[in-house]
């Protein structure tokens, strides 16, 4: 369970990222966060694994007060939270399996990381993660030989290999074509249902958000302006979130 | 220069400064000629001596070859070991000098200043100082090569680290790794091929430098080269140069092949 209690985030330059956010997300929910660029979607997601610190309020994840974590405890906490990025953030000049194996890096002795000697059990776990996202046959191919959609699946497998309870995804399909975007969203949905992993996803494509997520959170200027089931989002809600501006539609 | 268009608009182009730059370069060249006593007359009159020496090197004294092997391999060993030590020592300093890894500006400036300082020492001077510290011989040469390699590879490496894709580093840190681990797993694979390529390139050059270091007593080919030149045994000198030429060619060919494979 992720619980925001009156959370405010002010950046060092004075910019307010989040304004007095209160929010509860239960284990196993599929939440889409929508809003304009700069509204605070990324900030919201990145406070959960404390890539960003919060300024005021309290943020607890599974009853752990995130803002008190330091050093080793913080790294251990981050082990349970996977993260997916818009630009995949893979090491493109090495093989797919090596990228998946990097999720085990925090648990390994330094010399193993240095020479890339990963234990066999982890290699099998990595291959199983690749199988779950359907690209087992690409395991020993270099990442830069894969398409964008395949690369995002490698990133997803990398996250699965760390057995997270929560996956945070920051614009995971923004760099993908509509068809591939749907495939990746299907992967998210399946992982969410089969493994009961909470998924929080920042997304610009409103129609994908409404189609795949159970719950939609609309963010505007650092505040939550909508929080409810995705099937209750109508034009009025969207107009409010996007301030009456043109909505980024995508056709597939 | 002013241009007037048919509709009356005017555009001004600034006068080119090329002529002043050319004049300044000519003036400075002339000052250099005067200051260094450069004389075409001497060059014309004495230039043919060069060919005298070159001709007296021919044919190279094959019999002298058996005395060349040891200093030749000393030279190669010095450059290989020196390059390896220098390249390895450069890694931590390069990391500390990279602004995308270290956010403390003071540390970065101190490390960069240190690297620049080391780079300004001529290798020959370092070798000379090293002979005072560790005595005559190949150890001094190895140290000199290591110091030069350290400064050179260090500079190139931190520039590479700064242009690296930080995405993987961010990702690996986000799932609970320390900065060192994230660097090793996320950034090292990106820079490793070009790092090794640069070390090899540096090693290529070092073989040629190492051949000189004997002049200040730091071991290797330079030692016998110096000796044979001063005794005017030009056919032996010729043999040394042929041996050096062939070794450098072989090393460059291997290194070139390896570097091609890497990138």
């Amino acid at each position: 369970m992720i619980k925001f209690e009156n959370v405010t985030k002010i950046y060092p330059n004075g910019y307010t990222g989040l304004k007095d956010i209160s929010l509860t997300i239960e284990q196993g929910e599929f939440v889409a966060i929508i809003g304009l660029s700069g509204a605070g979607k990324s900030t919201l997601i990145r406070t959960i694994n404390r890539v960003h610190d919060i300024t005021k309020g309290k943020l607890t994840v599974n009853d752990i007060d995130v803002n008190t974590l330091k050093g080793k405890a913080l790294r251990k906490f981050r082990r349970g939270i996977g993260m997916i990025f818009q630009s995949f953030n893979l090491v493109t000049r090495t093989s797919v399996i090596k990228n998946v194996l990097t999720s085990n890096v925090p648990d390994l002795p330094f010399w193993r990381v240095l020479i890339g000697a990963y234990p066999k059990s982890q290699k099998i776990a990595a291959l199983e993660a690749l199988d779950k996202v359907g690209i087992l046959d690409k395991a020993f191919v270099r990442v830069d030989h894969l398409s964008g959609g395949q690369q995002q699946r490698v990133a997803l497998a990398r996250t699965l290999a760390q057995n997270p309870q929560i996956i945070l995804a920051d614009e995971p399909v923004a760099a993908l074509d509509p068809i591939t975007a749907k495939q990746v969203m299907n992967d998210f949905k399946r992982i969410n249902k089969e493994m009961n992993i909470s998924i929080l996803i920042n997304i610009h494509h409103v129609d994908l958000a409404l189609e795949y997520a159970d719950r939609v959170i609309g963010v505007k200027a650092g505040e939550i302006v909508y929080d409810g089931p995705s099937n209750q989002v109508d034009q009025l809600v969207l107009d409010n979130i996007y301030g009456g501006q043109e909505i980024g539609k995508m056709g597939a | 220069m002013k241009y007037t268009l048919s509709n009356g608009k005017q555009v001004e182009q600034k006068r080119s400064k090329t002529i002043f730059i050319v004049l300044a370069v000519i003036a400075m060249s002339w000052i250099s000629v005067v200051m260094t006593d450069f004389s075409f007359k001497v060059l014309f009159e004495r230039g043919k001596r060069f060919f005298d020496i070159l001709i007296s090197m021919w044919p190279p004294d094959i019999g002298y070859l058996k005395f060349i092997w040891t200093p030749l391999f000393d030279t190669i060993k010095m450059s290989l070991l020196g390059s390896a030590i220098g390249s390895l020592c450069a890694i931590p300093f390069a990391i500390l000098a990279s602004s995308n890894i270290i956010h403390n500006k003071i540390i970065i400036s101190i490390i960069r200043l240190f690297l620049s300082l080391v780079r300004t020492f001529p290798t020959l001077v370092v070798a000379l100082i090293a002979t005072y510290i560790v005595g005559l011989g190949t150890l001094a040469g190895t140290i000199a090569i290591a110091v030069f390699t350290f400064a050179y590879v260090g500079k190139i490496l931190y520039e590479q680290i700064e242009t690296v894709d930080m995405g993987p580093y961010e990702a690996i840190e986000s799932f609970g790794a320390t900065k060192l681990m994230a660097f090793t797993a996320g950034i090292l694979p990106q820079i490793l091929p070009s790092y090794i390529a640069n070390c090899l390139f540096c090693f290529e050059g070092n073989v040629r430098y190492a051949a000189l270091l004997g002049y200040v007593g730091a071991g290797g080919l330079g030692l016998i080269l110096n000796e044979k030149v001063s005794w005017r045994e030009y056919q032996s000198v010729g043999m040394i140069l042929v041996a050096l030429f062939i070794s450098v060619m072989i090393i460059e060919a291997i290194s070139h092949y390896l570097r091609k494979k890497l990138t």
Side-chain angles (χ1 to χ4, degrees), chain A residues 50-252:
Chain A
R50 214 177 140 200
V51 171
H52 291 331
D53 288 325
I54 58 174
T55 318
K56 261 189 282 188
K58 193 176 176 193
L59 171 60
T60 50
V61 176
N62 297 331
D63 298 322
I64 297 168
D65 186 346
V66 176
N67 238 31
T68 60
L69 293 174
K70 260 196 282 222
K72 209 171 177 180
L74 175 63
R75 293 197 295 271
K76 188 166 168 258
F77 166 75
R78 282 181 174 167
R79 299 292 294 124
I81 302 178
M83 195 151 190
I84 299 282
F85 305 83
Q86 176 178 352
S87 46
F88 323 135
N89 290 5
L90 301 167
V91 185
T92 53
R93 60 195 308 171
T94 56
S95 64
V96 165
I97 186 164
K98 281 223 170 117
N99 270 281
V100 179
L101 284 164
T102 57
S103 69
N104 297 311
V105 156
D107 297 335
L108 289 173
F110 181 70
W111 68 268
R112 275 190 179 274
V113 181
L114 188 64
I115 61 170
Y118 296 93
K120 198 180 174 193
S121 59
Q122 295 194 344
K123 282 187 191 163
I124 290 177
L127 291 170
E128 279 168 355
L130 284 169
D131 197 25
K132 275 181 200 144
V133 292
I135 46 166
L136 183 59
D137 56 321
K138 302 286 184 200
F140 298 100
V141 176
R142 257 172 71 141
V143 170
D144 47 12
H145 292 170
L146 301 183
S147 68
Q150 288 170 329
Q151 290 193 18
Q152 194 58 293
R153 286 180 171 181
V154 175
L156 200 51
R158 177 176 64 179
T159 297
L160 288 179
Q162 78 184 79
N163 287 318
Q165 293 162 298
I166 301 166
I167 292 179
L168 308 173
D170 196 7
E171 307 285 359
V173 297
L176 304 176
D177 66 74
I179 309 287
T180 318
K182 285 211 162 194
Q183 288 169 349
V184 170
M185 289 302 286
N186 279 324
D187 288 334
F188 275 114
K189 188 81 189 163
R190 196 158 36 77
I191 287 159
N192 170 249
K193 288 283 167 276
E194 284 173 10
M195 303 166 79
N196 195 38
I197 296 173
S198 307
I199 293 185
L200 273 78
I201 190 165
N202 277 349
I203 189 159
H204 276 305
H205 303 302
V206 174
D207 44 354
L208 284 182
L210 300 185
E211 187 180 341
Y212 287 94
D214 305 320
R215 176 175 169 189
V216 168
I217 293 173
V219 182
K220 185 179 175 183
E223 288 176 284
I224 293 178
V225 291
Y226 177 83
D227 183 1
S230 50
N231 54 22
Q232 282 175 26
V233 177
D234 53 20
Q235 196 56 46
L236 212 68
V237 170
L238 292 178
D239 281 349
N240 188 21
I241 295 168
Y242 288 98
Q245 301 191 35
E246 187 78 11
I247 292 160
K249 276 262 179 191
M250 58 168 285

Side-chain angles (χ1 to χ4, degrees), chain B residues 47-254:
Chain B
K48 59 176 186 291
R49 295 282 169 225
F50 171 72
F51 295 99
D52 289 350
I53 294 174
L54 206 61
I55 288 162
S56 55
M57 284 184 195
W58 192 263
D61 180 6
I62 306 283
Y64 186 64
L65 189 62
K66 60 177 180 287
F67 300 104
I68 294 178
W69 292 121
T70 314
L72 176 66
F73 282 110
D74 277 352
T75 300
I76 295 172
K77 278 185 275 186
M78 275 184 341
S79 23
L80 193 63
L81 190 60
S83 305
I85 294 171
S87 308
L88 286 176
C89 292
I91 295 172
F93 286 87
I95 295 173
L96 289 175
S98 306
S99 57
N100 52 346
I101 307 289
I102 301 295
H103 298 295
N104 186 330
K105 281 200 177 126
I106 298 165
I107 295 180
I108 293 175
S109 336
I110 290 173
I111 300 283
R112 286 191 185 179
L113 183 70
F114 175 66
L115 284 173
S116 311
L117 271 177
V118 175
R119 224 171 23 251
T120 53
F121 289 137
T123 309
L124 222 50
V125 174
V126 176
L128 193 61
I129 295 171
T131 55
Y132 297 148
I133 299 170
V134 298
L136 296 175
T138 47
L139 180 59
T142 310
I143 291 171
I145 297 280
V147 168
F148 168 76
T149 309
F150 165 78
Y152 174 84
V153 172
K155 162 128 177 130
I156 293 198
L157 185 58
Y158 87 68
E159 283 178 351
Q160 269 169 358
I161 294 175
E162 288 191 334
T163 55
V164 108
D165 170 21
M166 289 301 283
Y169 178 84
E170 187 194 1
I172 295 166
E173 217 187 355
S174 88
F175 33 77
T178 60
K179 281 185 192 302
L180 182 65
M181 290 281 209
F183 180 88
T184 311
I187 293 185
L188 207 59
Q190 294 185 61
I191 53 169
L192 200 57
S194 43
Y195 165 71
I196 295 173
N198 283 320
C199 295
L200 282 170
F201 184 69
C202 199
F203 167 62
E204 273 178 54
N206 283 345
V207 177
R208 271 167 279 145
Y209 281 125
L212 273 179
L213 293 181
Y215 272 82
V216 293
L221 278 181
L223 222 52
I224 52 169
L225 201 58
N226 191 13
E227 187 182 290
K228 296 297 157 190
V229 168
S230 36
W231 291 353
R232 308 203 170 192
E233 291 180 20
Y234 289 125
Q235 286 183 327
S236 303
V237 173
M239 197 61 233
I240 296 171
L241 291 182
V242 168
L244 179 64
F245 176 70
I246 293 172
S247 324
V248 168
M249 281 238 300
I250 294 171
I251 286 167
E252 285 192 355
I254 296 171

